[in-house]
Each structure stands twice: as C-alpha cells, then as structure tokens.
Amino acid sequence: MDYTTAPNYVLDANGRRQIVDRDLLNNVPGTSAVALDQNGPMNELMYLIEQSGLKGDASDDTLVFQALGKLIVKATEGAVEQQIDATTIGVDRAGYSAPAQSLAFRSTDGTWRYPVTSEPVNGQDRILQLGFDTDTDLLRVLGLSGVTRSFLPGNQVSITNGTSTTLGDQKWQAFYVGNISGSNAQVTFPLGFSALPTVLLQPTAEFDTNLAIQANPVPGSLTTGGFEVNINNAPGVASTKGCGLWVWAFGAL
C-alpha cells in the first residue's frame, strides 16, 4: 500500500500525496480516479482477512475486526506453545546448545526453545528452566548455575483460636485451647488429617497457682481427628485448676 500517485494529487503539510475533491466552480479539476487507488486498499484488507482463515463476504462488515482477533489469538498461541514440560526437572546438559544466559522452555513436542536472553545482575543466578512437577506437586526452578530449587504451593486459613497452613500436601495447625484440666482430657483438631500427625504441646502455668504444668499426650490416643492429654501439676497428680494449652500438629492433608 502507498499514497496515491493519481494525476492532480496534492501534498499535505506532512508531504503526503493526497486525493482532493473536484470543484469545477473554482477551477479545481480534482484527483483522477485510478484503479490502483481503489484496488490497493481492498487487496490489503482482503489479504488480512484471508490470512486469518476467513473468506470474503460482501454482506459482513465485521470481517477485518474478526480477522484481527483471530491473528492475535494465533500469535498468542504460538507463544504459549513454548510451554514448560510439566514433568521435566532438569536440563540435558549434553544437548544444551542455547546462547549463554538464556531463559529456556521445553515445548510440548519435546524441543528446547530459548526465546529470551538475560544477563546476570550483581552475580545473581538466572532462571534457565521453570516447571511444575506433577508427580510431586513441586514447582522446580533450575538456575544457570545448575542448581535446582523446589517450591511448594502454600496457603493459610484461620481456624478456631489459630491458623492452619498448607504446604504442598502437608498441613500445619497451630491453635490454643483456652482451658483444659485433669486426666484423659480430649483435644480435637479444628481440621482433621488424612494420616496420624506429629503433635507438640506447650501448656501455660496452672490457673490461680501459677505453678508449672505438664501436658502429656495419652499413649495410643492419637487419631487423625485429635488426641487425649493428661494435665498434671506434679508427677501423677492431675491438675483440677487447669491451664491453657498451645497445640502444634503437622501431618498429611
């Protein structure tokens, strides 16, 4: 496509050849109508439409808009095609042929691509490969230094008098029991586990007396839903006044 070259064109302030209207009353002949001026824009637009996979339709005034949308999607899909292989953890160093300091992606057809180059900053490592390992639910990052680091997805929610934090397929509950006393006192996890967790206990001082308290889980009482505990103010002596109890439990979701 180019500016018109038809007879009697004029130059605008920017030096572009422009078509002018005929004005016979003022002796302006106007720019001649030539096939090139008419066919050029039409051919350009039809080329755009056809490249998107559409066909010309004189009854549809939205073809150019549709074509642009399809071409944008196509270009985006081409970039997304260079997606990370979800099961790949490392790089085949023997087959590594990318430029130094490259960000590498492995596409679904198994080939390595290196669309971005980056220089190290202040000696920091740069990402060579980033992938999600579906076998272990780990996000793995391989640096140019050759070191692979793993990251677990995490989340934290509020539970009764505490929080529950998930890290990968593990869960950590930290909560406070406000008043507990005696033997075989029941403690229930706000959220259950899928397998027996590890439990840590920290009692406060005994209410009223401020004496030290022992909080000992009852052997064999631990389940995925809770456990029993003995609250003693002396060996073998159950506390009747009670105390507060911090509970930390870590185990599978």
Side-chain angles (χ1 to χ4, degrees):
M1 183 178 287
D2 196 4
Y3 299 112
T4 183
T5 57
N8 299 321
Y9 68 79
V10 297
L11 296 178
D12 65 7
N14 295 314
R16 298 173 299 185
R17 300 184 299 273
Q18 302 290 288
I19 295 172
V20 295
D21 294 329
R22 177 182 297 177
D23 185 358
L24 297 180
L25 292 177
N26 294 295
N27 296 319
V28 178
T31 307
S32 299
V34 295
L36 185 61
D37 284 348
Q38 301 299 313
N39 293 330
M42 184 65 69
N43 291 342
E44 289 269 5
L45 293 173
M46 285 304 302
Y47 180 78
L48 173 66
I49 291 170
E50 291 168 352
Q51 287 300 303
S52 73
L54 296 173
K55 293 183 179 180
D57 183 351
S59 65
D60 191 343
D61 293 337
T62 67
L63 287 178
V64 173
F65 177 79
Q66 294 180 52
L68 288 173
K70 286 180 173 292
L71 291 173
I72 290 173
V73 170
K74 184 177 180 180
T76 303
E77 288 176 344
V80 173
E81 189 180 47
Q82 297 185 35
Q83 59 186 296
I84 302 160
D85 185 338
T87 60
T88 299
I89 297 174
V91 169
D92 180 2
R93 305 299 290 184
Y96 175 64
S97 59
Q101 315 303 338
S102 288
L103 177 65
F105 296 93
R106 188 174 185 179
S107 63
T108 52
D109 63 5
T111 59
W112 287 99
R113 310 196 183 193
Y114 311 90
V116 180
T117 60
S118 59
E119 297 297 328
V121 178
N122 298 327
Q124 298 180 14
D125 199 6
R126 278 291 178 265
I127 293 176
L128 177 64
Q129 183 187 355
L130 174 67
F132 185 75
D133 186 342
T134 55
D135 293 331
T136 61
D137 287 342
L138 291 175
L139 178 65
R140 299 194 187 272
V141 176
L142 175 66
L144 287 165
S145 63
V147 176
T148 300
R149 297 175 175 85
S150 300
F151 300 88
L152 287 170
N155 184 47
Q156 187 176 82
V157 297
S158 295
I159 56 178
T160 304
N161 295 324
T163 58
S164 177
T165 303
T166 57
L167 192 62
D169 60 356
Q170 299 296 303
K171 176 168 55 184
W172 179 277
Q173 293 185 64
F175 59 95
Y176 180 71
V177 179
N179 191 342
I180 190 167
S181 63
S183 300
N184 299 96
Q186 179 66 43
V187 175
T188 301
F189 300 129
L191 299 174
F193 293 88
S194 63
L196 294 182
T198 299
V199 177
L200 300 174
L201 304 177
Q202 178 60 56
T204 65
E206 187 178 43
F207 293 147
D208 297 336
T209 68
N210 205 33
L211 295 175
I213 284 288
Q214 293 178 336
N216 302 309
V218 176
S221 69
L222 179 63
T223 69
T224 58
F227 60 95
E228 294 178 358
V229 63
N230 292 326
I231 305 297
N232 297 335
N233 58 12
V237 181
S239 171
T240 58
K241 296 182 180 297
C243 65
L245 181 67
W246 281 102
V247 180
W248 288 269
F250 182 78
L253 288 174

